[in-house]
Amino acid sequence: MTSDAATTTGTESIGFIGLGQLGIAIAQQLATYGRLHTVWNRTPERAADLATTGLSRAASPADLMRDTSMAILCVSGASAVEEVTFGPGGLAESATPGKIVVDHSSISPLNTRDIAARLARETGAHWIDAPVSGGPQGAVAGTLTVMAGGSQEDFRRLEPVLSAYAGRCTLIGPTGAGQAAKLCNQVIVAATAWGLAEATLLADASGIDPTGLPEYLKGGFADSPLLHILQPLMAPGDTTHFGSRDLLLKDLDTALALGRAAGCPLPVTAQSAELLRAARKWTSPDHNGAHIDLLRGPPHTALQSERPPADNS
């Protein structure tokens, strides 16, 4: 079930948990549409970055769940999702039948199914896994892609809310299906990123202006949003931030674990993950130039200085 995002934000009372770079962009969009009621973050000061007034700041996830009909999560990983849901002061303490938890975090579909089943068993509340693609800039533009897993009834309730920050929303299947689709997305993104880095270096080595690749290849099979968005940032030492490579690596490791459990070989994904691990030793995980820096190697002058003096005896 696929749709463009609806044009109304619906009648849900929304609480939001997780004000990282993506989370705060989504929360700000919800606030702009007048649908955000309450927020909670482990670092309360992050809520101050929301440019809105009249927003309630919950003392705990349980308080947030008590005061809203739908809690939206956007946290770092499975352990954070489980802690927010079942830890002290967690969502489960005040979740009741009819309430929905929507998880925009990227975690394993196996973890998702376990958490959703436990929440339903203990409280009767529903769960939709709804990881996104498009980054903070996509949230601000209202163009995020949402991959959802859950029931059609719950998805229909969620669609109007998503209209504040998503351009395309798809119910992939039952619980966990959205997370599986997001892992497929990350596998493609990682492999493409390294392909773009190699093509950029090859163009430069061949005497072609690498900054022209997006225009040269436009309309061909190699054309893609990443070619136009990410490739221009792949300059040596580029420190432009375009998503965290650490989060991408976390998702690749999740995909590899899922693949091993299913007997599904993912050799390109494994290589992409190890390259990201190596690149992290060179530069910040937030700097896009690390793809190029790793493949290019240290500057020639650095290599020269590391060579032992010649033996002229």
Side-chain angles (χ1 to χ4, degrees):
M1 179 179 180
T2 303
S3 70
D4 292 330
T7 57
T8 172
T9 53
T11 59
E12 302 287 349
S13 176
I14 309 300
F16 200 94
I17 294 174
L19 299 175
Q21 291 179 337
L22 176 59
I24 202 162
I26 294 175
Q28 184 61 66
Q29 287 298 103
L30 286 168
T32 299
Y33 273 74
R35 295 307 306 158
L36 186 60
H37 179 271
T38 308
V39 297
W40 182 86
N41 196 64
R42 281 180 291 185
T43 307
E45 294 75 18
R46 292 303 302 272
D49 294 335
L50 286 171
T52 186
T53 58
L55 193 62
S56 173
R57 300 183 188 182
S60 68
D63 288 340
L64 180 143
M65 184 88 270
R66 186 177 296 109
D67 294 339
T68 59
S69 62
M70 182 180 292
I72 300 178
L73 315 182
C74 191
V75 296
S76 58
S79 60
V81 172
E82 189 158 7
E83 177 67 20
V84 163
T85 306
F86 300 112
L91 298 170
E93 291 186 10
S94 57
T96 56
K99 296 197 174 190
I100 298 179
V101 178
V102 179
D103 186 21
H104 284 327
S105 316
S106 294
I107 67 174
S108 168
L110 303 180
N111 293 128
T112 291
R113 291 173 190 133
D114 288 344
I115 293 170
R118 180 181 170 187
L119 185 70
R121 184 173 62 251
E122 295 182 3
T123 72
H126 297 185
W127 190 280
I128 294 184
D129 51 295
V132 304
S133 181
Q137 54 272 61
V140 173
T143 59
L144 286 179
T145 294
V146 179
M147 299 148 275
S151 73
Q152 287 195 3
E153 180 181 359
D154 291 339
F155 183 68
R156 290 191 189 100
R157 282 180 61 182
L158 176 60
E159 280 185 289
V161 177
L162 295 174
S163 69
Y165 50 92
R168 185 172 178 81
C169 316
T170 304
L171 180 62
I172 308 293
T175 304
Q179 296 293 358
K182 175 60 184 286
L183 292 180
C184 293
N185 179 86
Q186 300 299 73
V187 163
I188 294 169
V189 166
T192 302
W194 285 111
L196 290 173
E198 292 185 2
T200 300
L201 284 181
L202 182 60
D204 189 34
S206 303
I208 299 172
D209 179 9
T211 65
L213 283 178
E215 183 61 30
Y216 305 153
L217 305 181
K218 188 175 182 179
F221 285 157
D223 200 3
S224 71
L226 284 177
L227 175 63
H228 295 274
I229 297 172
L230 185 56
Q231 191 276 339
L233 303 179
M234 287 190 172
D238 191 294
T239 59
T240 306
H241 176 72
F242 184 75
S244 170
R245 289 198 318 275
D246 277 356
L247 293 179
L248 176 58
L249 179 57
K250 181 249 320 173
D251 291 343
L252 294 183
D253 285 340
T254 301
L256 289 167
L258 190 65
R260 283 192 294 270
C264 174
L266 300 173
V268 175
T269 302
Q271 183 68 13
S272 296
E274 292 311 306
L275 284 168
L276 284 173
R277 243 181 288 278
R280 200 189 189 292
K281 296 181 177 296
W282 286 65
T283 60
S284 163
D286 292 334
H287 295 171
N288 292 285
H291 286 85
I292 291 293
D293 293 339
L294 177 68
L295 298 179
R296 189 183 294 271
H300 181 68
T301 54
L303 286 175
Q304 289 283 73
S305 64
E306 291 173 5
R307 289 175 182 167
D311 184 358
N312 296 320
S313 59

